[in-house]
Every structure is written in C-alpha cells, then in structure tokens.
Amino acid sequence: MPHLPTDSPDSVRSLPARRSVLGAMAATAAAPTLLGLSSPASAASAAPVAQPRALPGGGDLGPNVIVFDPSASGIQAKLDEVFRQQESAQFGTGRYALLFKPGTYNGLNAQLGFYTSIAGLGLSPDDTAVNGDVTVDAGWFNGNATQNFWRSAENLALTPVSGTNRWAVAQAAPFRRMHVKGGLNLAPTGYGWASGGYIADSRIDGSVGPYSQQQWYTRDSSVGGWANAVWNMVFSGVQGAPAQSFPNPPYTTLDTTPVSREKPFLYLNGSEYRVFLPERRTNARGTTWGSGTPRGTSLPLTQFYVAKPGVTAATLNAALTQGLHLLLTPGIYHLDQPIQVNRAGTVVLGLGYATLIPDNGVTALRTADVDGVRLAGFLIDAGPVNSSTLLEVGPTGASANHSANPTTVQDVFIRIGGAGAGKATTSMVINSRHTIIDHTWVWRADHGTGVGWETNRADYGIRVNGDDVLATGLFVEHFNKYDVQWYGQRGRTIFFQNEKAYDAPNQAAIQNGSVKGYAAYKVADSVTTHEGWGLGSYCYYNVDPTIVQHNGFAAPNTPGVKFHDLLVVSLGGQGQYEHVVNETGAPTSGTSTVPSTVVSYP
C-alpha cells in the first residue's frame, strides 16, 4: 500500500572512526590502462601533472574504508558492528565504505544502515561472489522504510540465502552493477510503507517484487520479472521490463536509454587499486558487463589526491591544479571556498557518502565548461549561512558542445536541513550543455534538526540552464518555490519523483502571483523543445490541509514540449491539486490517495 509521510524525527547516533584490522589500502604507480574499447578522447586518460608535485597521489584510504579479503575471519562481526552504529543514525556523522576483494564469501548477511556503502572490488560484479545477502530493512523505524536514505550497494554478485534479497530503501540509495542470482524484494518485512528507488547496470535473475514501493526507476539492466506497481514504475533500457501500460498498471517503459555513462568505481587490478571510467553509450539496453570486460578507461589511484576529512578546500584545489583527480574518503568536509574543477576529464569520486559542507555561504563545488567531468558518490549538506548555490556545473552562459563527452552527475545528493539548520537559494544549477544527471536526490528536509518554513529556507531545487541536458532518475523534494526549473532547450527527463513542501504555513505562503502554488516541475515559457517520461508530484500540506496546488507541472503549450505518463497525488487529502499539467488533468479529491493521471500532453 502507498505510504503516508511521517514527520517525526528519529534518534541519531554518531560514532568514532575506526581502522579495520581486516585490510588496508595501498597503491603503486602505474600508467592508465585501456580496457575494451575506449570512450571519446578526453583529458581523463592523459591526466597532466605539474612538476614538481607538491601533493602526493594515491595512498591509504583512511579508517572508515574497510577492506575484506575472502580468507579473513571476523567479517560478519565487523559488518554487524558497523550496522549497529549506523542503523538509526539518520543525521549522524559516521560514514563507511565496506569493500570486498574479488573472491567468494560464504554465509554473510551485510545489513546496511545510514551512510554505508558496500561494493565489490572486481572489474565485474561476478568477480566478487557473496553467498548471502546485502539487506536493508526497516526494523529501526517500526517497519516503515520511507526514511531508509543514504546507503548503496555496488559491484557484487549475490546468491541470497532464501532465494530473494531484501532491499527496502527510500531515496538516495542506489543499487548499481549488482548481480542477484535470485529475486529482489524492495519492501520491508511486513510490507510497510516504502518510497524508493533506483537500480542501474544490474542483473536480477529472478523477479523484482516492489510490493509497497510507491515509485521506482530502473535503467540499463536485466530483470527476470516485475511483480507489481503502486504509483509510478519507470524503465529505460531494461531487458525483461513489463510492457508500457501507464496508468493501469502504472508502467512507463522505454526500450533504450538515449545516452548513459555508468558511474566510476574503484577496483583491484592484482594488488593495485584503480578507478574504472565506463564509456558513454547511446541507445543503451542491458548491463555494461554482461558480455565480458566492460568498455572504458582506467586510472591508477596514484592519479588521485586521496582526501581525508579535515583537509581544506585550498588543498583540494591545489591538488586539482596539479592535475590530480579527487577521491573523497568517508567523512565530513568543511569548505570555506568552492572546490573548483577546471580541467576536462576530472573525476571527483566520493566513498561512503563523503559529505561537503559550505560553512560561510559559498558554493560547495563548481566546474568549468569543459568536457567529461565526472562527479559521483557524495553528499552536499547546506551550511547555516545561505549559499546562493550548492553545486554549479559550468559557469553562467556556458555554451560549448559536450555531446561526445558530457559531464555526469551521479549519486550526488543535496540536503538542506535535517542534520542542522542550512539554507541555499538554489541547490543545483546545470549550465553546461549535454550534462547527464543520473540519479540525484535534492532534498529540503521535512524532519530532523533545523527544519522550518524559514529555518531551512531553500526556494529552488534544480535549475537547468544548459541545452541538451538529460536527467535519468530525478528526485527533488520540498522546496519553498519551484523544485525544478528548466530553461535549456531539448531537455529530457526520464523519471521524476517529487513531494511539495509539507510545512507551508498557509495558502499565501506558496502563492505564485495569481497561481496557486509553484509547480514541482516548471519548463520556462521560452523553451520550444522538451520531453519527459514518468513524472510524479505529491502533496502533503499537513500544516494547513486546506492548501490548494494549481498543478504539479507547468510548461509552454507548444507541440515541441511533450510529457508522457504524468501523475499527481494528494497524500491522505492533506492539500489538493486542481490539475496535473497546466490546465489539464482531473483534480485530486478526498482522502483516498488516488493519483490523477495524464498519459500524454499536449
């Protein structure tokens, strides 16, 4: 059954950093290795290095990266220890990456709590076989999985003990490059409320059972079946996906994904740690690894500045200026100036939900208008002084063509409030053309610490100014005004999940001129070409349930601006929508939490 949101904060626990006795990270110098066919040429494979180098590349990955070897004892005990610390630490300071060397592991159940990433260190998921489970459940929250945020699984082959692995997650919990030799259950024990989720580049041999999951997006994968749908299930490039049938059942199915490039990942080549950079694919379908060696390029860890919490933004920028990439080890990083990425092909890769906090109103990270930047695997947490922006891809007015080698923003999550008071006018701004936003959750907190209509003020979630931008898996919630504003031409979004801000005090607080409320997804009047598939907006105005939202989606009424499979939902009758998109679509009504849908617009 669909969930009704909860506003109650949960208890939080922080934890000390610990160095594992089960493994240590090391790297040796080596030149980049080409694996398969290379992607379009970029500076990522050249990595110019200034001489003499003031900052070293490579080295130890710090105390909260725990590396397991198949021959080690005590693995389950260590997994259980981390889980106990992280299970309910929703706004705690602990950050962990659990990495498994290639080989076979028997009888494990890796339960994942907050800010915990688990990953294999092979080049293919099948290189690291776990006869056991990687489990997310919701016992900590009385069987409610709607707050199971900020955790991930990547690059493992699982043979579940019962035949089915449980992955009951909400937002910001990606399941990437996984091979499940059985089924996958996306609901918590007892089938309580759940609000996910995202799968990419994965193979599930058995059936996927979403059960109580209200929405889900699956990209470039293979499934043995799909059991049901609640509100919005979207597939692109998925072998075995159910046929297009929105709204009954609410399946939106695209045969391929127009453009995709998988997230960079750490792996072992013998005893050497390297980062693999998958190549760009067009009209992709199925996994990148199912037919042998994946295609892309590889960099040694020695070409990365391995950052530890406590490092200054000036040091991070010095490393980038030297020609190093950035690997952000698990922890919290306070910034007094933006991280500035100017070099084409630069990789900024976080492990274990490494978290950037701008302390004095600065932007956390900016990129130049260059080819092939890869931003992946980190969280930006707004600071107490208002930032005009938190992440900027390209400067204002960026216009270069990056179609052959786009910038990717993958598993980069933004939070305003929750862990403490934070403010930002616009969270994410995309100026560079052809950028791919592949799975993000941009969240103005509705619960936790530092939460209130003005306390964690954040007017806008994402603003897209660049042309030809593609979003695959867009989750944006609770902003004071527009959640998404799209000004670029030829933009595309495959899957969108939104909730309007719960805490609006009254109708006047959200009034947009003569319009009742700001649309969740607004395409600017100047746009002539835009397309979206599988987009949903929900309202839960629990402070003032009489609030009326005119529509979830607003766009120019022109043939080139097209939407497929839209829905709006009033959660339990706490506020209502008058229309779905512009003046089209039936109003929501009553307390039954039934979506109002539009199959095609215009």
Side-chain angles (χ1 to χ4, degrees), residues 516-527:
K516 298 173 185 176
Y518 290 81
Y521 190 105
K522 167 66 173 175
V523 180
D525 293 343
S526 58
V527 172

Side-chain angles (χ1 to χ4, degrees), residues 213-230:
Q213 281 287 355
Q214 64 188 32
Q215 74 276 313
W216 201 275
Y217 174 52
T218 307
R219 178 181 63 71
D220 299 356
S221 294
S222 173
V223 298
W226 195 272
N228 71 291
V230 176

Side-chain angles (χ1 to χ4, degrees), residues 378-466:
F378 56 89
L379 171 66
I380 299 175
D381 209 351
V385 178
N386 185 73
S387 295
S388 61
T389 60
L390 294 172
L391 174 68
E392 294 180 15
V393 177
T396 300
S399 60
N401 186 319
H402 305 295
S403 58
N405 193 6
T407 285
T408 44
V409 181
Q410 300 177 285
D411 300 348
V412 173
F413 308 118
I414 293 178
R415 177 174 68 194
I416 302 95
K423 294 185 178 182
T425 303
T426 305
S427 294
M428 183 185 297
V429 178
I430 307 296
N431 292 316
S432 287
R433 293 181 61 193
H434 301 100
T435 298
I436 300 171
I437 309 167
D438 178 44
H439 189 229
T440 189
W441 185 39
V442 182
W443 185 59
R444 176 181 168 266
D446 61 284
H447 63 274
T449 302
V451 172
W453 185 249
E454 297 295 342
T455 305
N456 62 329
R457 182 84 193 187
D459 283 351
Y460 308 110
I462 294 179
R463 178 174 174 138
V464 178
N465 295 320

